Amino acid sequence: MSSLSMRHLLGLRDAKPNDLRVILDTTRSFRSILDRPVKKVPSMRGLTVVNLFFEDSTRTRISFELAEKRLSADLVNFASSGSSLKKGETILDTLRNIEAMKIDLVVVRHSGTGVPAFLAKHSNAIIVNAGDGANEHPTQALLDMYTLEQELGSLRGKTVCIVGDVRHSRVARSNIWGLSALGAKVRVCGPSTLLPKNPAEFQNVVFTTDVRHAVNNADAVIALRLQKERQDDNLLPSLREYRNFFGITEEVLESSKAGVKIMHPGPINRGVELDSTVADGSNSVILEQVSNGVAVRMAILYLLSGGLAHE
Ligand code: CP
């Protein structure tokens, strides 16, 4: 049996600190494997994972695929384009047909909020949420937490500032819940039109529209991708205006702690939410986040499949 209290990884909203601890501690052992010349272990030999991506992805899709290969799992990649979804088949029928081919775990990304939870409820497969709409992106938040612990040690009492389009960000939501569960102090900053509509969803979080106030004495800053498509919704005056008031620049970071860690889930709009001098500077751990993503996904797949290989 898995040593996690959950059967699926759907989100971090109700995550138990002990489950987060188990995932992050397991990640550490897989991270060391990734630094070896031979980066493969037999932990998931004989198990089959299907990657169901209904929405574009670079980092998450490749990272899951590499994690599965490093664990010696068999894997199948599904893309909605070219599938029978185009002929009107439902997502649930698609999953049930894939399940009938004897698969063990399903990784799913979809633009619709709640699709992974729906599939978990109506199928027998173990489901991992790889990002659902503006709801949650738990594996991104876990790799962010792992990177922060690697850089800062325990997160208890550390100040992490999340800046950008928080309202539409699944990364922000998962991070706020996950970081808070591990005792970090979370500050959230953005234009009022891009802050959460229902802040009561988030306990003990400081909300501000003043980026200098937000980053003051912060240990880490997570800049979010400004979703340019939101411009059409009249939520922003212009990208230039956004950059002037909320862009993370060297000057904005002057009041944060020396050595403040700079993070971004990617893809970055350079010169909008983050200046290149900051994104590529010595405090940036953005590519370390990507490296850690493979290890965190190995840990999650390994833990959720615990026992399957022996059933
Ligand atoms: N961070 C992230 O989810 O990136 P992708 O959309 O490229 O997977």
Side-chain angles (χ1 to χ4, degrees):
M1 287 298 292
S2 164
S3 50
L4 298 176
S5 67
M6 55 187 134
R7 181 162 188 264
H8 312 278
L9 179 63
L10 302 175
L12 301 189
R13 185 178 192 130
D14 300 312
K16 294 185 172 65
N18 188 54
D19 282 335
L20 299 178
R21 200 61 274 143
V22 170
I23 293 170
L24 296 174
D25 289 347
T26 308
T27 298
R28 198 173 313 116
S29 29
F30 284 122
R31 186 69 184 81
S32 63
I33 288 167
L34 294 180
D35 290 329
R36 292 183 196 161
V38 177
K39 301 170 180 57
K40 205 160 174 149
V41 287
S43 313
M44 286 184 70
R45 187 177 290 154
L47 299 180
T48 306
V49 186
V50 178
N51 300 313
L52 283 182
F53 277 71
F54 298 93
E55 198 190 55
D56 293 346
S57 170
T58 298
R59 279 148 291 268
T60 312
R61 189 173 51 78
I62 293 175
S63 183
F64 266 111
E65 193 171 332
L66 276 174
E68 292 147 11
K69 288 183 170 164
R70 306 285 192 229
L71 289 165
S72 308
D74 295 318
L75 66 101
V76 179
N77 288 318
F78 168 96
S80 48
S81 60
S83 77
S84 289
L85 287 165
K86 298 282 177 210
K87 301 176 196 165
E89 188 167 45
T90 65
I91 294 177
L92 188 54
D93 277 337
T94 301
L95 178 59
R96 284 185 174 151
N97 277 270
I98 293 171
E99 256 194 297
M101 298 183 221
K102 309 296 177 200
I103 52 95
D104 300 295
L105 283 93
V106 176
V107 175
V108 58
R109 168 171 285 200
H110 198 283
S111 58
T113 288
V115 168
F118 173 79
L119 296 178
K121 189 169 176 191
H122 296 286
S123 77
N124 293 318
I126 294 171
I127 306 286
V128 182
N129 182 0
D132 64 324
N135 183 35
E136 288 229 36
H137 195 347
T139 63
Q140 176 69 45
L142 282 158
L143 75 87
D144 292 344
M145 287 187 266
Y146 181 81
T147 306
L148 283 165
E149 281 196 349
Q150 179 184 264
E151 299 294 328
L152 302 172
S154 167
L155 295 183
R156 186 152 299 282
K158 299 289 188 324
T159 300
V160 182
C161 175
I162 303 174
V163 184
D165 180 1
V166 181
R167 181 174 297 184
H168 303 101
S169 174
R170 55 195 178 202
V171 174
R173 289 166 65 81
S174 293
N175 259 311
I176 292 171
W177 287 314
L179 288 165
S180 300
L182 291 187
K185 293 188 261 184
V186 181
R187 294 184 196 150
V188 165
C189 176
S192 53
T193 49
L194 297 180
L195 287 177
K197 274 189 180 154
N198 182 14
E201 277 188 295
F202 309 104
Q203 306 292 315
N204 303 319
V205 172
V206 172
F207 293 95
T208 175
T209 56
D210 179 343
V211 75
R212 283 168 182 78
H213 171 64
V215 304
N216 186 39
N217 227 14
D219 294 282
V221 174
I222 302 176
L224 300 173
R225 180 176 79 88
L226 185 70
Q227 305 188 14
K228 289 181 180 168
E229 54 275 25
R230 302 290 168 207
Q231 271 212 287
D232 298 340
D233 303 339
N234 291 323
L235 296 172
L236 291 170
S238 69
L239 293 182
R240 188 140 57 99
E241 194 93 342
Y242 178 87
R243 193 258 177 208
N244 286 343
F245 284 95
F246 297 97
I248 303 299
T249 63
E250 288 182 328
E251 185 264 317
V252 162
L253 292 170
E254 274 169 13
S255 67
S256 54
K257 281 202 179 138
V260 59
K261 301 303 166 197
I262 304 301
M263 301 171 69
H264 193 298
I268 303 172
N269 297 303
R270 286 174 180 266
V272 181
E273 67 262 9
L274 200 54
D275 270 11
S276 279
T277 48
V278 178
D280 303 328
S282 57
N283 292 346
S284 171
V285 291
I286 292 170
L287 292 178
E288 194 58 29
Q289 288 174 264
V290 179
S291 302
N292 291 337
V294 178
V296 111
R297 289 171 176 126
M298 287 173 80
I300 290 161
L301 293 166
Y302 167 77
L303 288 164
L304 289 177
S305 66
L308 277 180
H310 308 291
E311 280 176 2

